[in-house]
């Protein structure tokens, strides 16, 4: 089936299915890039939607901007606790019992423990530290871009997006630079389910995560016995809030920081190339006025929405959109849908690099779990685009992107491109 | 009609006029005051409108409210006793002349 025929078939299916059979958690919808049709229908007809049967059990879908904001800012009722299933629709990613292992970390905690652990690592992405990182990032971006072939087709994902985000992570952890691709692998493995194309079984995932744990345990042992340093591992090893945490809590926080710093920025780096290719008038605007990079960067992050959802568990009954969510229910906030909600965002399907309030999007979440690294992500993307514009007249996308089969990471396995001098 | 003064960390002052009924984040954004982002649109959910209320005014504005405002300020930079989220300061005539200082950067 051609891409167009497949999209038309999906639109028909999204419109014709009985509402109670709509299950937006099917990862193949995201791989085929047709999830938007389903979410458009839910926003219109059933914005707080109950799905009784899915691969992840019953769950609620929250699909509008306003309702997502209401859930995200009500952490007293909508818990992130990993013991209840954590922050992903698949309980097994953070919790043992169904195949996975326990990975407690601060995104999967409620206050007060969340606050203490988050504060242990947040200084690394505070404004003062970002200013210190800027020069290093710019130099590396320049080096990577200067090494790319001009006029030949290559895959942007490994050559630029993975390379740059992995280098950044290695720096933040002060991780052995030559081993940095292990971080990419562990990031992919952490959020993978069997059948995703990344791992074949939970056993395989758990054993790769154990390698990760052992590697990081060595680094912890080195850092805990040295003076406090400015890298993330040293911060965790010396902060009163985290220095006595269990080995599994350490692994949980490590994989959180790896995934948080990796999948997200990586896929926004790729998404921006695709968005500008599909919207030549916006690219022309950018070339005429490169200062628009400042508003383009949050627009890329909105347009891409590199994490499709975050999940909560209700710890009390709650009313939302005329429905009653019961204590114990699984509640999924679909950021990817809220970012396409035309009651909150003007012409949300369009990629517009000079929006008036480009930062009003859900990609970072809101409330106490809002992305801690948001300013770093924006800075990485800003520098990337500044350096691209200095070097190339155009990035031509030469074929269809291959999308990741995941209802969580909304991203690309590959994107073929050709650079124009 | 009332007047609000915003003072950047470097000392630059902005005196703006507004009708009552708006909050101090909206007024700053509408007037293009640098350093007040207001990403969440006024829900106390992003902490990008952190301000320091001039000590002479803190009694009238009140301190940060319990709940989300205090929780979000937990994660802001250089938080002090007079820190507030500007979006939670509702402007009325009693606040005519209010002085709000901005932090170095929003996080």
């Amino acid at each position: 089936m051609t891409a167009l025929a497949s999209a038309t078939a999906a639109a028909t299916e999204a419109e014709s299915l009985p509402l109670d059979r709509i299950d937006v958690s099917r990862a193949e919808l995201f791989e085929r890039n047709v999830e938007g049709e389903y979410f458009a229908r839910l926003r219109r007809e059933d914005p707080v939607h109950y799905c009784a049967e899915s691969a992840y059990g019953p769950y609620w879908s929250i699909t509008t901007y306003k309702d997502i904001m209401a859930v995200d800012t009500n952490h007293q009722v909508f818990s992130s606790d990993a013991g209840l299933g954590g922050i992903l629709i698949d309980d097994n990613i953070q919790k043992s019992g169904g195949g996975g292992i326990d990975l407690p970390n601060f995104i999967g905690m409620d206050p007060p423990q969340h606050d203490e652990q988050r504060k242990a690592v947040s200084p690394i992405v505070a404004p003062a530290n970002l200013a210190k990182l800027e020069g290093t990032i710019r130099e590396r971006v320049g080096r990577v871009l200067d090494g790319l072939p001009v006029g030949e087709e290559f895959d942007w994902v490994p050559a630029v997006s993975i390379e740059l985000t992995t280098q950044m992570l290695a720096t933040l952890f002060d991780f052995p630079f030559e081993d940095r691709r292990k971080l990419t692998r562990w990031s992919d493995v952490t959020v993978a389910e069997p059948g995703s194309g990344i791992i074949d079984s939970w056993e395989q995932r758990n054993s790769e995560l154990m390698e990760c744990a052992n590697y990081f345990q060595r680094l912890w042992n080195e850092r805990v016995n040295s003076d406090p340093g400015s890298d993330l591992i040293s911060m965790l090893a010396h902060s009163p809030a985290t220095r006595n945490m269990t080995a599994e809590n350490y692994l949980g926080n490590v994989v959180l920081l790896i995934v948080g710093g990796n999948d997200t920025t990586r896929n926004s780096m790729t998404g921006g190339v695709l968005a500008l290719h599909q919207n030549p008038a916006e690219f022309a605007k950018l070339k005429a006025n490169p200062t628009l990079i400042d508003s383009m960067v949050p627009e890329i992050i909105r347009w891409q929405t590199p994490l499709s959802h975050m999940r909560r568990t209700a710890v009390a009954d709650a009313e939302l959109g005329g429905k009653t969510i019961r204590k114990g229910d699984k509640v999924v906030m679909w950021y990817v849908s809220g970012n396409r909600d035309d009651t909150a965002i003007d012409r949300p399907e369009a990629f517009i690099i000079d929006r008036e309030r480009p930062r009003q999007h859900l990609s970072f979440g809101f409330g106490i779990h809002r992305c801690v690294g948001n300013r770093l992500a924006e800075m990485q993307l800003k520098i990337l685009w500044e350096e691209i514009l200095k070097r190339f007249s155009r990035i031509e996308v030469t074929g269809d992107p291959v999308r990741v089969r995941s209802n969580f990471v909304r991203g690309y396995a590959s994107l073929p491109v050709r650079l124009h001098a | 009609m009332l007047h609000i003064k915003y003072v950047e960390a470097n000392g630059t002052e902005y005196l703006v006029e507004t009708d009552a009924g708006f909050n101090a984040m909206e007024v700053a954004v509408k007037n293009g005051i640098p350093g007040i982002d207001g990403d969440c649109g006024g829900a106390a959910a992003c902490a990008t409108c952190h301000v320091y209320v001039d000590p002479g005014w803190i009694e009238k504005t009140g301190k940060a409210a319990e709940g989300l405002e205090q929780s979000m300020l937990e994660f802001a930079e250089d938080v002090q006793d007079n820190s507030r989220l500007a979006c939670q300061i509702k402007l009325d005539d009693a606040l005519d002349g209010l002085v709000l200082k901005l932090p170095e950067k929003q996080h």
Side-chain angles (χ1 to χ4, degrees):
Chain A
M1 213 168 13
T2 66
L4 186 64
S6 155
T8 311
T12 311
E13 190 197 86
E15 289 307 318
S16 61
L17 264 183
L19 265 182
D20 63 1
R21 286 193 43 216
I22 291 189
D23 172 13
V24 284
S25 72
R26 288 152 56 209
E28 51 102 13
L29 298 179
F30 296 82
E31 184 181 28
R32 287 159 57 211
N33 192 32
V34 297
E35 78 283 358
E37 308 286 350
Y38 292 82
F39 285 118
R41 174 143 179 239
L42 289 185
R43 285 195 303 274
R44 215 167 46 236
E45 295 179 26
D46 195 27
V48 176
H49 172 71
Y50 188 69
C51 176
E53 275 177 53
S54 83
Y56 313 98
Y59 68 96
W60 292 95
S61 284
I62 314 299
T63 62
T64 66
Y65 192 101
K66 177 174 70 52
D67 288 343
I68 290 170
M69 183 70 98
V71 171
D72 230 355
T73 53
N74 188 359
H75 56 265
Q76 291 90 346
V77 170
F78 298 105
S79 167
S80 293
D81 195 302
L84 299 173
I87 52 113
L88 299 182
I89 191 169
D90 186 345
D91 295 354
N92 300 310
I93 301 292
Q94 257 195 301
K95 188 168 167 256
S96 62
I101 53 174
D102 288 313
L103 288 172
N105 56 28
F106 67 82
I107 201 175
M109 289 173 182
D110 296 324
Q113 206 186 1
H114 158 268
D115 302 9
E116 292 158 10
Q117 294 205 358
R118 176 179 167 128
K119 277 194 271 187
V121 297
S122 64
I124 203 162
V125 286
N129 208 45
L130 292 189
K132 281 190 233 160
L133 289 170
E134 181 170 355
T136 310
I137 296 174
R138 193 175 297 280
E139 186 199 313
R140 286 183 184 163
V141 167
R143 208 178 310 141
V144 165
L145 294 179
D146 286 338
L148 297 173
V150 173
E152 311 173 9
E153 188 177 271
F154 67 94
D155 185 353
W156 182 263
V157 173
V160 180
S161 307
I162 290 181
E163 185 54 28
L164 286 176
T165 42
T166 306
Q167 287 189 9
M168 186 74 246
L169 266 183
T171 301
L172 294 179
F173 282 114
D174 193 12
F175 187 89
F177 213 61
E178 63 285 1
D179 278 350
R180 64 186 182 279
R181 286 289 169 128
K182 289 182 190 291
L183 295 169
T184 320
R185 176 68 191 166
W186 291 329
S187 174
D188 291 342
V189 164
T190 299
V191 292
E193 304 163 53
S196 57
I198 294 167
I199 50 160
D200 297 324
S201 64
W202 288 112
E203 293 70 35
Q204 184 195 351
R205 171 178 178 268
N206 300 343
S207 104
E208 291 199 40
L209 286 177
M210 280 305 117
E211 281 171 41
C212 173
N214 292 334
Y215 198 111
F216 272 90
Q217 196 59 51
R218 278 209 311 281
L219 298 179
W220 174 286
N221 295 344
E222 278 169 35
R223 310 281 156 88
V224 78
N225 295 315
S226 319
D227 291 336
S230 57
D231 66 275
L232 282 168
I233 301 169
S234 183
M235 290 164 89
L236 289 170
H238 290 277
S239 164
T242 48
R243 69 182 173 212
N244 295 318
M245 65 187 160
T246 62
E248 63 184 18
N249 190 186
Y250 174 48
L251 177 63
N253 279 325
V254 161
V255 296
L256 164 62
L257 295 164
I258 294 177
V259 173
N262 187 44
D263 281 318
T264 52
T265 314
R266 178 208 299 183
N267 290 310
S268 296
M269 285 178 169
T270 308
V273 170
L274 185 62
L276 285 167
H277 176 83
Q278 291 175 349
N279 295 275
E282 296 302 302
F283 187 56
K285 258 196 247 174
L286 176 66
K287 297 256 286 187
N289 180 8
T291 63
L292 291 177
I293 288 176
D294 285 340
S295 54
M296 178 179 79
V297 162
E299 174 67 351
I300 289 173
I301 295 168
R302 179 194 73 88
W303 186 87
Q304 181 56 41
T305 316
L307 298 181
S308 298
H309 81 265
M310 284 284 169
R311 167 264 180 95
R312 301 289 184 259
T313 307
V315 292
D317 290 359
E319 295 288 321
L320 195 66
K323 306 277 180 88
T324 303
I325 294 173
R326 298 284 175 200
K327 179 178 176 180
D329 286 356
K330 186 186 287 201
V331 178
V332 180
M333 300 177 285
W334 292 102
Y335 294 151
V336 66
S337 175
N339 276 341
R340 293 290 184 277
D341 178 355
D342 64 8
T343 64
I345 295 165
D346 180 39
R347 286 175 294 156
E349 298 297 333
F351 177 74
I352 303 171
I353 68 169
D354 50 358
R355 286 184 183 274
E356 210 171 306
R357 303 295 311 277
R359 282 210 170 86
Q360 283 194 14
H361 63 70
L362 295 167
S363 299
F364 293 129
F366 280 115
I368 61 166
H369 293 284
R370 183 168 166 82
C371 175
V372 71
N374 58 350
R375 300 295 177 179
L376 173 61
E378 289 178 347
M379 185 169 87
Q380 287 176 274
L381 288 167
K382 177 172 153 60
I383 293 172
L384 174 64
W385 282 100
E386 285 170 353
E387 297 301 314
I388 285 173
L389 291 183
K390 280 184 204 164
R391 286 169 173 80
F392 312 114
S393 64
R394 185 181 159 213
I395 306 175
E396 179 191 355
V397 174
T398 53
D400 289 332
V402 176
R403 290 169 203 272
V404 177
R405 194 188 314 149
S406 167
N407 57 34
F408 177 58
V409 174
R410 188 164 179 270
Y412 308 91
S414 70
L415 182 73
V417 299
R418 185 183 294 120
L419 295 173
H420 295 240
Chain B
M1 193 67 78
L2 59 149
H3 293 86
I4 309 290
K5 191 193 277 181
Y6 297 88
V7 186
E8 273 193 274
N10 66 16
T12 311
E13 297 188 351
Y14 304 84
L15 188 64
V16 303
E17 211 177 64
T18 175
D19 287 326
F22 295 98
N23 68 55
M25 180 279 287
E26 292 171 302
V27 172
V29 168
K30 217 180 304 169
N31 286 280
I33 310 292
I36 299 238
D37 297 340
D39 293 359
C40 75
C46 68
T48 63
C49 65
H50 174 204
V51 293
Y52 304 111
V53 176
D54 185 272
W57 285 92
I58 193 76
E59 234 169 82
K60 284 203 171 131
T61 62
K63 289 190 180 180
E66 267 185 48
L68 196 56
E69 186 181 3
Q70 282 185 5
S71 299
M72 292 308 294
L73 280 168
E74 283 279 304
F75 308 116
E77 282 277 289
D78 301 323
V79 175
Q80 299 169 10
D81 202 38
N82 57 341
S83 286
R84 291 289 314 262
L85 296 180
C87 70
Q88 300 304 302
I89 303 177
K90 185 111 170 175
L91 298 171
D92 56 31
D93 291 332
L95 292 177
D96 187 16
L98 176 67
V99 180
L100 299 174
K101 298 198 168 119
L102 309 185
E104 288 273 351
K105 270 205 153 159
Q106 302 287 350
H107 178 196

